[in-house]
Amino acid sequence: MDANEKLKEVNRVVKELGADQPNVQAGFMKLLTSSESDGKLPTKVKELISLALAINVKCEWCIAYHMNNYLKAGATKDEIMETASVAILMGGAPSLMYLNPVLDAFEQLGGDQQQ
């Protein structure tokens, strides 16, 4: 998986949806923004949850998107691996294999430089 390419693809579909269905795109973005902003849980924790769910639904675009946000929120590799281990527990062997795009995204999006 090329995480940077996946992020470009995410941006592409969001832009296309906005051009063709602006109300749908605006509604989705409002839900996304309000769901992931600080509340009772900080954004960093919400991105941990989103990353675990992305692993279990096997969405490489979601993994790249949430890894990028998670790194911006100050994630460490140890936190990422612990999050992935919970996702693997809940999703079994298929989720274990989705640790590959998680590690790719961590490396490709500059996670090593943040420690």
Side-chain angles (χ1 to χ4, degrees):
M1 176 182 89
D2 183 330
N4 288 300
E5 189 60 36
K6 293 293 182 196
L7 285 176
K8 288 178 188 174
E9 292 170 358
V10 168
N11 290 329
R12 175 183 172 221
V13 297
V14 169
K15 182 179 175 183
E16 289 291 323
L17 182 62
D20 292 338
Q21 297 289 317
N23 291 335
V24 173
Q25 189 260 10
F28 179 78
M29 295 309 293
K30 184 175 181 180
L31 174 63
L32 177 75
T33 302
S34 61
S35 296
E36 292 188 338
S37 58
D38 281 334
K40 300 291 183 192
L41 297 174
T43 296
K44 185 176 177 181
V45 170
K46 292 178 179 184
E47 289 299 343
L48 277 171
I49 294 166
S50 293
L51 181 61
L53 291 168
I55 292 167
N56 277 326
V57 299
K58 299 161 187 62
C59 178
E60 291 185 21
W61 296 269
C62 302
I63 289 170
Y65 180 83
H66 292 291
M67 178 65 72
N68 191 50
N69 290 347
Y70 188 33
L71 288 169
K72 289 178 183 176
T76 66
K77 188 170 184 181
D78 288 340
E79 291 170 333
I80 291 163
M81 296 304 288
E82 193 167 332
T83 298
S85 70
V86 174
I88 291 163
L89 167 69
M90 299 306 294
S95 294
L96 175 62
M97 293 301 99
Y98 270 79
L99 187 53
N100 280 305
V102 167
L103 293 170
D104 289 347
F106 178 80
E107 293 165 4
Q108 293 167 7
L109 297 171
D112 289 326
Q113 287 109 29
Q114 296 188 9
Q115 293 188 22

